[in-house]
Amino acid sequence: MVKHKSVAVILMVVLAMALAPICALAQEKVVKIGALYPMTGRAGIYGLDSVDAAEMAVEEINGKGGVAGYKLELINTDSKAKPDYSVMVAKRYIDQDKVHFLFGVVSSAVGLALTEVSKQNKKIFIGTDHASTQLTVDKFQPYYFRVSNNTFQSMAAGALYLKEMMQTKPWQTMAYIGPDYAYGHDQWNELKYNLDRFGIKYKVVGEYWPKLFAPEYTPFITSILKDKPDVLICGLWGGDSVAFIKQATPYGLFEKTLFCSPDAGGNYEVMSTTGAELPLGLVLSARHHNNWPETPANKDYVAKFFKKTGRYPTYAAEGAYTGILAIAQAVEKVGNPNDTEALVKALEGMKISLPEDPEGFTSYIDPETHQIVQVQAIGVTVANDQFPPAKRMLGNWKIYKAEDLLPPKEYIEPRRKK
């Protein structure tokens, strides 16, 4: 009898030891983040870099024990850059996967579709890359936050650059080429709005509206050459920017007009895929630069990304990295990922130190628009082979204060009332 009892005790101990890891895993508290990024096609590098950078941030935070007793868990699905498909995935994230946050995306068309899902389900949507200002002005809703610059900020910086340039390189005529959807139209309208409010006189001699991911730009290039603008503003992004530059270079377009792309033209993808063929003197910017600011934080971020992936990051990566940091900071403050209204309050006005912050400045989220407020740098293409395979990088920087780039109340209020 005693022998039987001893065997039973031993079996119970063995069983308890076998189940212990399973029980511990079951009890682990997790912050679920449902991401949507395109992983193929012309926007694929944006998605690939975003997921890698988000995972890098998740690893850093979980490696330090997580936040408020929770580990972060990132789920990503290829958005295919299609709004309808992305909406279906987002609803699945909310209903079946029980995510705490929606996260991403690259295309503004997808972002505008997902913000409606976020609003209807009261699920916080952290926007990391897409830039249409409509999301924080016209279509503002309390559960949406964006952690990278929008097109208004970029176009305000571009308008200030063009105003300054008039002192050294007088110009009078301007034309625009951009994708024929919200992102492209927002840029053009916001550039003209900012030129007007800064008192700059100009004449528009052409507008060109190719479809997103258009394969052929020759008809637009020949029209631009015929219209002869002093300045060509470009609102294309990603592979579209690369394709346009490669197709326009043999026509000598960049020798005949000043090319200015203040929002996405300075993405590292443009430099890495064009090499020494990228013309010098193009005026470009982006939401993050690998060689500006030259702070320890930015150098460390770029080095860590390179170590993890074997390539230098596009600007989309820093947006995703920022989004994870913002979620972690909010959950840490609230103490859990389930109190949505408290998380909204924690994100409003949040200060968050980022790689792209120059010395003396810390990015923060505007509580009125839920738009992150950041300094913007605009540069010109110069010879630089320190970030291979690129042979050109941006240099000769002009820096614009964050608060000078925000839309004024008289811009926001009438759009909110529509």
Side-chain angles (χ1 to χ4, degrees):
M1 187 66 180
V2 173
K3 183 177 181 181
H4 288 166
K5 284 186 177 178
S6 298
V7 171
V9 169
I10 291 171
L11 287 173
M12 290 177 65
V13 170
V14 170
L15 182 62
M17 292 177 66
L19 291 175
I22 298 173
C23 293
L25 184 62
Q27 292 170 1
E28 187 174 67
K29 296 189 294 185
V30 172
V31 179
K32 277 195 173 183
I33 303 163
L36 276 150
Y37 287 108
M39 304 302 286
T40 54
R42 279 190 178 174
I45 187 63
Y46 282 63
L48 185 63
D49 277 11
S50 295
V51 172
D52 281 337
E55 288 178 343
M56 189 168 83
V58 167
E59 290 163 6
E60 289 174 6
I61 293 163
N62 286 347
K64 296 175 182 175
V67 288
Y70 290 81
K71 292 294 181 69
L72 303 185
E73 178 183 322
L74 181 75
I75 309 166
N76 182 60
T77 301
D78 185 349
S79 72
K80 304 178 182 179
K82 294 182 177 178
D84 291 348
Y85 177 77
S86 298
V87 165
M88 182 185 70
V89 174
K91 289 180 177 177
R92 188 195 75 204
Y93 276 162
I94 294 170
D95 296 335
Q96 298 180 25
D97 298 314
K98 308 298 182 186
V99 300
H100 297 98
F101 297 90
L102 296 175
F103 194 81
V105 299
V106 170
S107 165
S108 289
V110 176
L112 286 163
L114 289 196
T115 199
E116 291 300 321
V117 178
S118 163
K119 179 182 177 182
Q120 291 167 9
N121 292 274
K122 296 185 177 180
K123 185 66 64 179
I124 295 175
F125 173 20
I126 302 293
T128 67
D129 184 21
H130 51 281
S132 171
T133 308
Q134 293 182 39
L135 282 143
T136 49
V137 177
D138 314 54
K139 306 291 185 183
F140 173 79
Q141 55 94 5
Y143 303 100
Y144 175 80
F145 292 84
R146 178 162 40 215
V147 295
S148 59
N149 271 359
N150 62 26
T151 52
F152 190 97
Q153 292 162 299
S154 298
M155 291 301 117
L160 288 169
Y161 188 99
L162 293 173
K163 180 181 181 180
E164 293 172 9
M165 196 180 75
M166 274 188 160
Q167 306 302 316
T168 54
K169 297 180 181 178
W171 61 276
Q172 296 180 329
T173 61
M174 179 175 65
Y176 177 80
I177 183 168
D180 192 9
Y181 71 110
Y183 170 74
H185 286 272
D186 281 359
Q187 289 181 81
W188 183 221
N189 292 332
E190 290 157 1
L191 180 77
K192 290 185 292 182
Y193 174 87
N194 281 297
L195 288 172
D196 291 341
R197 75 168 174 143
F198 296 148
I200 302 169
K201 303 296 182 185
Y202 59 92
K203 179 181 178 183
V204 175
V205 296
E207 297 181 19
Y208 322 98
W209 299 100
K211 292 182 179 179
L212 180 65
F213 305 146
E216 178 60 54
Y217 293 94
T218 300
F220 301 105
I221 294 166
T222 54
S223 293
I224 295 167
L225 288 168
K226 182 181 177 182
D227 293 336
K228 299 179 179 177
D230 295 330
V231 177
L232 175 64
I233 304 297
C234 180
L236 301 173
W237 61 276
D240 288 9
S241 285
V242 174
F244 178 80
I245 290 171
K246 285 187 173 180
Q247 292 176 30
T249 297
Y251 286 88
L253 177 66
F254 305 113
E255 299 162 9
K256 298 170 183 172
T257 183
L258 185 131
F259 183 81
C260 179
S261 183
D263 188 66
N267 190 22
Y268 176 71
E269 179 192 19
V270 173
M271 290 75 163
S272 65
T273 56
T274 56
E277 295 178 8
L278 184 64
L280 300 171
L282 307 187
V283 178
L284 309 176
S285 188
R287 293 168 211 134
H288 171 260
H289 304 284
N290 290 333
N291 62 335
W292 186 92
E294 295 188 84
T295 57
N298 197 34
K299 290 178 179 177
D300 181 59
Y301 161 78
V302 172
K304 284 192 296 187
F305 186 93
F306 186 83
K307 182 179 180 181
K308 177 179 174 65
T309 66
R311 63 183 186 278
Y312 291 106
T314 59
Y315 71 67
E318 201 231 8
Y321 185 81
T322 301
I324 297 296
L325 298 186
I327 287 173
Q329 202 164 307
V331 172
E332 183 73 40
K333 184 173 183 179
V334 173
N336 71 79
N338 303 307
D339 190 342
T340 300
E341 301 305 323
L343 291 166
V344 168
K345 292 297 181 186
L347 286 161
E348 291 178 335
M350 174 185 285
K351 289 187 175 182
I352 181 166
S353 183
L354 298 174
E356 72 172 85
D357 290 342
E359 294 289 353
F361 179 83
T362 302
S363 295
Y364 62 93
I365 296 176
D366 177 15
E368 297 298 321
T369 61
H370 292 185
Q371 169 63 52
I372 202 164
V373 182
Q374 297 179 314
V375 173
Q376 181 152 348
I378 295 180
V380 298
T381 48
V382 297
N384 183 333
D385 59 2
Q386 295 180 15
F387 298 86
K391 298 293 185 184
R392 306 278 190 263
M393 294 294 285
L394 298 184
N396 302 328
W397 301 100
K398 290 187 179 295
I399 314 303
Y400 298 97
K401 293 180 180 177
E403 285 74 15
D404 291 345
L405 308 181
L406 296 177
K409 284 186 177 180
E410 55 266 31
Y411 181 89
I412 295 174
E413 290 178 352
R415 287 166 175 78
R416 288 268 177 91
K417 292 177 181 176
K418 288 182 180 177

